[in-house]
Amino acid sequence: MTFGMISGVAMVAAGMPYYLAILMSVMVYAGNAQLAALQLYTSGSPIAIAIMAALVINLRFSIYSLAITPHLSAASPRWRPLLAYILSDNGYAMTLRGYERPMEALDKVWYYSGCCAAIWITWQTGTLVGVLLGAGIPAGWHLEFSILLAFLGIVAPTIRDRAIAAAACAAGVTAVLAWSLPLRLGLLLATAAGIITGMLVEKLQEKFSP
């Protein structure tokens, strides 16, 4: 909810009307992409650059989709667009943790829907509160730090073997080193570095395991 509040406050502080801020939150539903696009647009960048930055940042969802799709085979085709819409970082992480337990195919669909719907409701509620509060929250509160803590709290328990740990380290180091790249390309590079490193370590483990 805190991240949603920050997003709402940022949109209103940038001069966006309340109704547009809420509409953007519902239609775009991508916190990092929303904030990056908003920052670029308000700094005078062309709208095409802001949209491109949002698309680049959201490329990670294509990776999430590839990983989660095999678990949602029981979903009806008419519901799949909705399932794709509610996909989020936190929902993805929570769902994969739940899938560590044996589940029927249809139960997996309902579990995913429940996790992601809960995140969607929390995000929209936080955004609405942030929009209503506007720029009244002091910048000295540094609420953005709680985003990192919340995300670490979700991801950390999923690191249970060397391949995943190596992938997380590679992604983290790459993200820090590539932070200054334009259009938030560092996030894309970090994702690629994490995937490649994890696959290499997994292959090495298979090769040298007794």
Side-chain angles (χ1 to χ4, degrees):
M1 180 176 285
T2 302
F3 197 0
M5 290 176 59
I6 294 171
S7 179
V9 170
M11 288 188 286
V12 174
M16 183 177 291
Y18 287 5
Y19 70 93
L20 283 182
I22 296 173
L23 183 62
M24 180 180 182
S25 177
V26 173
M27 294 187 64
V28 178
Y29 185 47
N32 289 326
Q34 287 178 218
L35 294 179
L38 184 66
Q39 182 181 8
L40 289 170
Y41 180 71
T42 55
S43 64
S45 300
I47 186 65
I49 296 297
I51 294 175
M52 182 62 68
L55 291 175
V56 169
I57 292 173
N58 282 342
L59 281 177
R60 69 189 187 279
F61 286 105
S62 62
I63 301 172
Y64 294 168
S65 298
L66 289 173
I68 207 74
T69 295
H71 297 286
L72 303 178
S73 58
S76 171
R78 65 178 179 177
W79 288 107
R80 289 179 183 177
L82 178 60
L83 297 180
Y85 165 71
I86 62 176
L87 179 62
S88 63
D89 295 302
N90 293 356
Y92 172 76
M94 291 170 61
T95 300
L96 286 190
R97 289 183 62 186
Y99 285 170
E100 293 176 358
R101 302 188 302 271
M103 287 188 189
E104 297 293 334
L106 189 59
D107 291 337
K108 287 187 174 183
V109 176
W110 284 111
Y111 187 86
Y112 168 88
S113 301
C115 290
C116 290
I119 298 298
W120 186 90
I121 293 171
T122 302
W123 169 263
Q124 301 301 342
T125 302
T127 300
L128 178 61
V129 172
V131 167
L132 295 177
L133 290 176
I137 298 179
W141 285 14
H142 297 294
L143 294 179
E144 66 275 8
F145 186 70
S146 63
I147 301 170
L148 177 60
L149 294 180
F151 190 72
L152 288 176
I154 294 173
V155 174
T158 67
I159 303 176
R160 297 184 176 180
D161 59 41
R162 293 179 180 177
I164 298 178
C169 290
V173 171
T174 303
V176 172
L177 295 177
W179 177 256
S180 60
L181 290 179
L183 302 181
R184 303 298 179 104
L185 291 174
L187 180 60
L188 184 59
L189 290 177
T191 302
I195 293 173
I196 293 172
T197 301
M199 292 176 63
L200 288 176
V201 172
E202 188 172 8
K203 291 293 184 181
L204 289 174
Q205 285 180 325
E206 293 176 357
K207 181 177 180 179
F208 295 104
S209 60

mmCIF file of all heavy atoms in Angstrom, residues 13 30 57 73 86 104 112 133 177:
data_model
loop_
_atom_site.group_PDB
_atom_site.id
_atom_site.type_symbol
_atom_site.label_atom_id
_atom_site.label_comp_id
_atom_site.label_asym_id
_atom_site.label_seq_id
_atom_site.Cartn_x
_atom_site.Cartn_y
_atom_site.Cartn_z
ATOM 1 N N ALA A 13 1.282 15.567 -7.193
ATOM 2 C CA ALA A 13 2.307 16.593 -7.029
ATOM 3 C C ALA A 13 2.844 17.069 -8.375
ATOM 4 O O ALA A 13 3.307 18.207 -8.508
ATOM 5 C CB ALA A 13 3.455 16.054 -6.179
ATOM 6 N N ALA A 30 1.165 -0.324 -13.051
ATOM 7 C CA ALA A 30 2.583 -0.693 -13.057
ATOM 8 C C ALA A 30 3.350 0.417 -12.357
ATOM 9 O O ALA A 30 3.693 1.424 -12.978
ATOM 10 C CB ALA A 30 3.088 -0.895 -14.476
ATOM 11 N N ILE A 57 10.650 -0.922 -18.902
ATOM 12 C CA ILE A 57 10.591 -1.352 -17.506
ATOM 13 C C ILE A 57 9.646 -2.537 -17.343
ATOM 14 O O ILE A 57 9.909 -3.459 -16.557
ATOM 15 C CB ILE A 57 10.142 -0.176 -16.614
ATOM 16 C CG1 ILE A 57 11.233 0.898 -16.582
ATOM 17 C CG2 ILE A 57 9.833 -0.649 -15.190
ATOM 18 C CD1 ILE A 57 10.814 2.162 -15.882
ATOM 19 N N SER A 73 -2.872 -23.471 -17.058
ATOM 20 C CA SER A 73 -3.433 -24.152 -18.232
ATOM 21 C C SER A 73 -4.932 -24.409 -18.093
ATOM 22 O O SER A 73 -5.641 -24.538 -19.090
ATOM 23 C CB SER A 73 -2.703 -25.479 -18.469
ATOM 24 O OG SER A 73 -2.807 -26.316 -17.314
ATOM 25 N N ILE A 86 -3.864 -8.555 -14.052
ATOM 26 C CA ILE A 86 -3.621 -8.436 -12.608
ATOM 27 C C ILE A 86 -2.239 -8.949 -12.198
ATOM 28 O O ILE A 86 -1.894 -8.902 -11.008
ATOM 29 C CB ILE A 86 -4.704 -9.172 -11.790
ATOM 30 C CG1 ILE A 86 -4.709 -10.671 -12.100
ATOM 31 C CG2 ILE A 86 -6.072 -8.550 -12.038
ATOM 32 C CD1 ILE A 86 -5.685 -11.469 -11.250
ATOM 33 N N GLU A 104 -4.030 -28.929 -7.505
ATOM 34 C CA GLU A 104 -4.715 -29.289 -8.740
ATOM 35 C C GLU A 104 -4.617 -28.120 -9.714
ATOM 36 O O GLU A 104 -4.407 -26.971 -9.312
ATOM 37 C CB GLU A 104 -6.177 -29.629 -8.455
ATOM 38 C CG GLU A 104 -6.382 -30.829 -7.550
ATOM 39 C CD GLU A 104 -5.934 -32.128 -8.214
ATOM 40 O OE1 GLU A 104 -5.944 -32.193 -9.463
ATOM 41 O OE2 GLU A 104 -5.551 -33.061 -7.476
ATOM 42 N N TYR A 112 -3.566 -18.192 -7.865
ATOM 43 C CA TYR A 112 -2.976 -17.049 -8.560
ATOM 44 C C TYR A 112 -3.926 -15.857 -8.543
ATOM 45 O O TYR A 112 -3.523 -14.719 -8.255
ATOM 46 C CB TYR A 112 -2.648 -17.443 -9.995
ATOM 47 C CG TYR A 112 -2.312 -16.284 -10.900
ATOM 48 C CD1 TYR A 112 -1.011 -15.805 -11.006
ATOM 49 C CD2 TYR A 112 -3.301 -15.669 -11.666
ATOM 50 C CE1 TYR A 112 -0.714 -14.734 -11.833
ATOM 51 C CE2 TYR A 112 -3.011 -14.607 -12.496
ATOM 52 C CZ TYR A 112 -1.715 -14.143 -12.579
ATOM 53 O OH TYR A 112 -1.431 -13.069 -13.396
ATOM 54 N N LEU A 133 -4.384 12.492 -0.429
ATOM 55 C CA LEU A 133 -3.443 13.220 0.420
ATOM 56 C C LEU A 133 -2.663 14.261 -0.376
ATOM 57 O O LEU A 133 -2.240 15.272 0.149
ATOM 58 C CB LEU A 133 -2.473 12.250 1.093
ATOM 59 C CG LEU A 133 -3.051 11.343 2.178
ATOM 60 C CD1 LEU A 133 -1.988 10.372 2.674
ATOM 61 C CD2 LEU A 133 -3.590 12.167 3.345
ATOM 62 N N LEU A 177 25.267 -1.229 -10.883
ATOM 63 C CA LEU A 177 26.260 -0.722 -11.833
ATOM 64 C C LEU A 177 25.617 0.005 -13.017
ATOM 65 O O LEU A 177 26.200 0.944 -13.568
ATOM 66 C CB LEU A 177 27.130 -1.875 -12.346
ATOM 67 C CG LEU A 177 28.016 -2.564 -11.305
ATOM 68 C CD1 LEU A 177 28.768 -3.734 -11.929
ATOM 69 C CD2 LEU A 177 29.000 -1.576 -10.679
#
